[in-house]
Amino acid sequence: MPEHTPYPLLSRINSPYDLRARPEDELPQLAAELRQFTIETVSRTGGHLAAGLGTVELTIALHYVFDTPEDRLVWDVGHQTYPHKILTGRRNRMHTLRQKGGLSGFPRRAESEYDVFGVGHSSTSISAALGMAVAAACRGSTRHVIAVIGDGALSAGIAFEALNNAGNMDANLLVILNDNDMSISPNVGAVSNYLARVLSGKVYTSVRSGSKTVLGTMRPVRDLAKRVEEHVKGMVMPGTLFEELGFNYIGPIDGHDLGTLVKTLRNMRDLKGPRFLHVVTRKGKGYEPAEGDPCVYHGVTPFDPATGKMEQKTGARTYTQVFGDWLCHTAAADRRLIAITPAMREGSGLVAFSERFPDRYFDVGIAEQHAVTFAAGLACEGLRPVVAIYSTFLQRAYDQLVHDVSLQNLPVLFAIDRGGLVGPDGPTHAGSYDLTYLRCLPNFTIMAPSDENETAQMLSTGFALDGPAAVRYPRGSGPRTRVERPYQRLPVGKAELRRRGHEVAILAFGSMLTPALVAADTLDATVVNMRFVKPLDEEMILDIVRDHKLIVTVEENVVAGGAGSGVNEVLAARGVAIHVLNLGLPDRPLEQGSVAELLAECGLDAAGLDQQIRRALTNGLVASRESA
């Protein structure tokens, strides 16, 4: 980048080594350039914006003070890591962010040596960093390990499990709480910053350690001194909990004050044992539209950086909106309905419900395990909980699905959004496995709608059942093929014959019905909209088998253990010998790209289905086979 660019300092930073070579007084200018570059980049590609803008100064300070990548820097979730990517040699590839073949929207070990732990889901940073700290100790290494976690992510149980474990084993670990749920409060000013510098400094810590040694033989005096210390610290900082867990707590400090950040981090770097630094930042910092509405600017489509105005999305109703409408309609008619979400109110379509029925709406925070067992407890008392959750996040509560819902046959309805491929968010957020991990659970009824209308009908069907049910629908909008009787219940376990053809029968699950119908026109194939993954319509399957040579199952789920495997099991149990071609997602992670690009890569668009079926007919067939 030439000297006359708007980024004269940032253009010289190609790695943290370059950053550490600069004088400290240049860091505020670098922060301004880094913030502006982030805004301009994301305005073209879309992605996560507000969180990264809030961590610009913290990112600079961490790479300035610590010897990354030798020192391990573990980020939580990864929404806030665009500035980290820019400073670690990826600035010139930021225009490829979240695109097929480009940079991931999250830290990835395969992408950079500075991404020491791959993330996408929240609350994993402290556990992973603790493992790295213990590994360093085992090897006699003096490297530093830092975990950066947000206040939202800290609400998850795994974060506190890791804190408890780290404090108990006296691990050499620095945990940084990036607290961005509030603007800078009055106590995060000159006095608080001064106290943080003093309390993290060598004089205070040496006196603190020395007094423990001296007072160790004088228990009454020692206990009094400890209570006085906790009382004084408690008056100016909310660190009692972390102190009790065994951490040396410092903060809160202003996360946008580079001088304080650098000084405090240097002091804490030289300490040993478990340390906890509380940093307060502002989401969207430095960009007025994002500061004003950090929720809207958390994840953005391309936008005009001058105004913040985003590109308009299509007017088609999304599956998420269909769910939100169904939820409000059903809640108005049945007071037993309770809606639960693990910190995904906007993403799961619960805004209108939370406003109309606030007494029946529960956002439990980033706590998927608790969400499921909480729902189970409600169901035990005669209520009808609906858990609105992304497919990829439901994975985090699998034991609760088994132990608390399935085995007890409780009427909990799971509205599973983002089933299948999700596009630019990549493999950490793709709902590739839900049909597989749900299908093996007893008592569950599992449905996959092919369009918006069926989504509402299946939700009504699942809500009326006396056992657990799941409705799994994709991201975005559907084919808009029919809008009729949206709240009518479907006969459980019954498929729908959509096209009668010859030789080939395609059994399509959920979103795959649309490309299957297109492919069937060129193949003259029969098409069945299976609708139910469990129970399967065995009568329909056996009827179709009688006058076809090839059965093709297709699903937007991994082939292994998925809906197609269920069809195989039905045929095997009945002793039916027929060629079966199972098509679905491959047995490997799919990188980011548009949904259309990824479906084409997997051979699950109409052209890909046509090609794979013709190849099977021409070249002979194996009993079970996944897409390329």
Side-chain angles (χ1 to χ4, degrees), residues 5 148 288 296 333 342 354 436 456 468 476 507 521 619:
T5 68
V148 182
E288 186 175 343
V296 168
S354 68
T436 297
L507 309 185
D521 283 339
N619 299 335

Side-chain angles (χ1 to χ4, degrees), residues 174 200 250 264-271 275-277:
L174 171 59
S200 65
I250 302 297
T264 304
L265 286 172
R266 279 177 175 155
N267 287 340
M268 298 194 78
R269 179 189 61 189
D270 296 335
L271 304 179
R275 291 144 287 155
F276 193 101
L277 175 61

Side-chain angles (χ1 to χ4, degrees), residues 4-16:
H4 63 274
T5 68
Y7 310 107
L9 184 54
L10 180 62
S11 65
R12 296 187 175 95
I13 307 299
N14 296 308
S15 76

Side-chain angles (χ1 to χ4, degrees), residues 100 421 512 515 556 584-586 588 590 593-612 615 627-628:
K100 194 168 181 9
L421 299 172
M512 289 293 97
E556 199 174 335
L585 301 179
R588 59 180 172 82
L590 289 166
S594 70
V595 172
E597 288 173 329
L598 297 178
L599 287 174
E601 178 184 333
C602 298
L604 295 180
D605 58 355
L609 294 179
D610 179 274
Q611 183 180 43
Q612 292 192 86
R615 186 187 306 134
S627 58

Side-chain angles (χ1 to χ4, degrees), residues 322-352:
V322 170
F323 165 69
D325 292 345
W326 171 87
L327 194 67
C328 290
H329 171 88
T330 306
D334 193 333
R335 288 198 55 81
R336 298 177 302 163
L337 188 151
I338 304 291
I340 303 164
T341 182
M344 293 303 297
R345 185 184 74 145
E346 289 77 15
S348 292
L350 291 169
V351 173

Side-chain angles (χ1 to χ4, degrees), residues 80-146:
Q80 75 280 53
T81 56
Y82 295 177
H84 160 81
K85 287 176 180 277
I86 294 166
L87 292 177
T88 54
R90 287 167 277 183
R91 183 183 70 251
N92 293 331
R93 294 190 62 210
M94 288 297 289
H95 66 281
T96 70
L97 189 69
R98 292 161 46 89
Q99 299 172 34
K100 194 168 181 9
L103 293 178
S104 170
F106 300 94
R108 290 203 58 211
R109 283 170 54 82
E111 187 177 287
S112 170
E113 64 179 335
Y114 293 92
D115 294 355
V116 298
F117 195 74
V119 294
H121 292 185
S122 81
S123 315
T124 60
S125 60
I126 304 175
S127 296
L130 177 59
M132 295 176 186
V134 170
C138 290
R139 293 173 175 169
S141 170
T142 59
R143 71 160 50 108
H144 301 279
V145 182
I146 309 98

Side-chain angles (χ1 to χ4, degrees), residues 295-433:
C295 185
V296 168
Y297 285 85
H298 168 70
V300 297
T301 57
F303 63 94
D304 180 353
T307 65
K309 186 176 181 180
M310 296 185 210
E311 291 182 0
Q312 293 297 313
K313 298 179 181 179
T314 63
R317 276 163 52 79
T318 65
Y319 285 100
T320 304
Q321 290 170 328
V322 170
F323 165 69
D325 292 345
W326 171 87
L327 194 67
C328 290
H329 171 88
T330 306
D334 193 333
R335 288 198 55 81
R336 298 177 302 163
L337 188 151
I338 304 291
I340 303 164
T341 182
M344 293 303 297
R345 185 184 74 145
E346 289 77 15
S348 292
L350 291 169
V351 173
F353 182 91
S354 68
E355 294 169 349
R356 288 184 57 186
F357 307 98
D359 58 328
R360 290 191 273 162
Y361 166 75
F362 296 92
D363 183 343
V364 301
I366 302 176
E368 294 88 356
Q369 291 175 296
H370 165 59
V372 174
T373 303
F374 174 49
L378 290 166
C380 284
E381 297 302 317
L383 297 178
R384 289 299 179 116
V386 178
V387 179
I389 192 168
Y390 287 8
S391 169
T392 187
F393 298 150
L394 186 58
Q395 298 164 185
R396 295 162 68 92
Y398 194 64
D399 181 59
Q400 287 67 37
L401 282 170
V402 178
H403 183 273
D404 300 334
V405 176
S406 172
L407 297 185
Q408 300 188 87
N409 195 25
L410 292 172
V412 179
L413 174 61
F414 294 89
I416 305 175
D417 205 333
R418 272 65 167 177
L421 299 172
V422 294
D425 280 338
T428 58
H429 284 62
S432 304
Y433 314 107

